[in-house]
Amino acid sequence: MKKVLIFGVFDGIHEGHRTLFREAKKYGDRLIAVVTQDTVAERLKGHLPKFNLGKRVDELQKEKIVNEVALGDAELGSYEVVLKRRPDIIALGYDQKSLKKNLEENMEKFDWRPEIKIMSPYKPEQYHSSKLNEY
């Protein structure tokens, strides 16, 4: 069984997320969505998510295409969630360039080589969470 891991804050599921889910799922049999913890999201984005972690997890669990929802690491760069889930593919959004770079720099932490795939944007001017959740 081929596992695909995706990362995100998932602050209000929208069609851009659903497109990401569908594209990522094409690479494997099991789609695991890793939800960024509130404190990490605040550190990365400069503000807390609109919805708390529990609400974001609940909403993801309603998405039938997502087979598992996992909590992201409390410490940036530890990649405990990756080590525990051992995905074959890590599917990143088109806008997750710094995460891709950090993953590549930390590949020595893994005793296998997950393949990193970049997913296509879907109407980013309309369906990017930062646009939908403007503060």
Side-chain angles (χ1 to χ4, degrees), residues 10 45 75 115 120 123:
F10 304 112
K45 295 182 177 262
E75 181 184 332
E115 188 176 352
S120 306
K123 298 183 181 179

Side-chain angles (χ1 to χ4, degrees), residues 1-133:
M1 178 182 296
K2 214 170 194 183
K3 292 184 276 184
V4 180
L5 198 76
I6 57 174
F7 290 93
V9 176
F10 304 112
D11 199 15
I13 303 298
H14 52 71
E15 197 52 40
H17 288 130
R18 291 185 181 101
T19 300
L20 169 74
F21 303 157
R22 287 189 296 270
E23 188 176 350
K25 184 75 178 249
K26 290 178 184 177
Y27 291 103
D29 309 297
R30 185 165 182 78
L31 182 61
I32 304 165
V34 178
V35 185
T36 306
Q37 295 201 31
D38 292 342
T39 55
V40 174
E42 183 178 28
R43 211 171 350 185
L44 292 171
K45 295 182 177 262
H47 58 81
L48 284 169
K50 182 176 179 180
F51 300 107
N52 69 33
L53 181 62
K55 171 79 170 161
R56 292 182 287 125
V57 167
D58 288 346
E59 292 302 309
L60 267 172
Q61 288 174 331
K62 293 176 186 174
E63 297 293 320
K64 293 184 188 321
I65 196 167
V66 176
N67 301 108
E68 181 183 346
V69 178
L71 299 183
D73 299 318
E75 181 184 332
L76 278 172
S78 69
Y79 294 111
E80 293 297 320
V81 70
V82 176
L83 290 164
K84 183 176 180 184
R85 300 301 186 297
R86 297 183 64 85
D88 300 288
I89 306 286
I90 298 175
L92 300 178
Y94 70 95
D95 59 345
Q96 293 179 307
K97 292 173 181 66
S98 60
L99 177 55
K100 178 181 185 283
K101 183 176 187 260
N102 192 270
L103 274 164
E104 290 169 343
E105 291 169 352
N106 283 280
M107 279 292 176
E108 75 277 354
K109 291 182 179 182
F110 312 137
D111 62 359
W112 81 105
R113 284 287 175 253
E115 188 176 352
I116 298 174
K117 300 270 190 188
I118 304 299
M119 304 297 99
S120 306
Y122 176 77
K123 298 183 181 179
E125 69 288 344
Q126 183 178 356
Y127 288 113
H128 196 279
S129 293
S130 63
K131 301 266 187 228
L132 295 169
N133 294 327

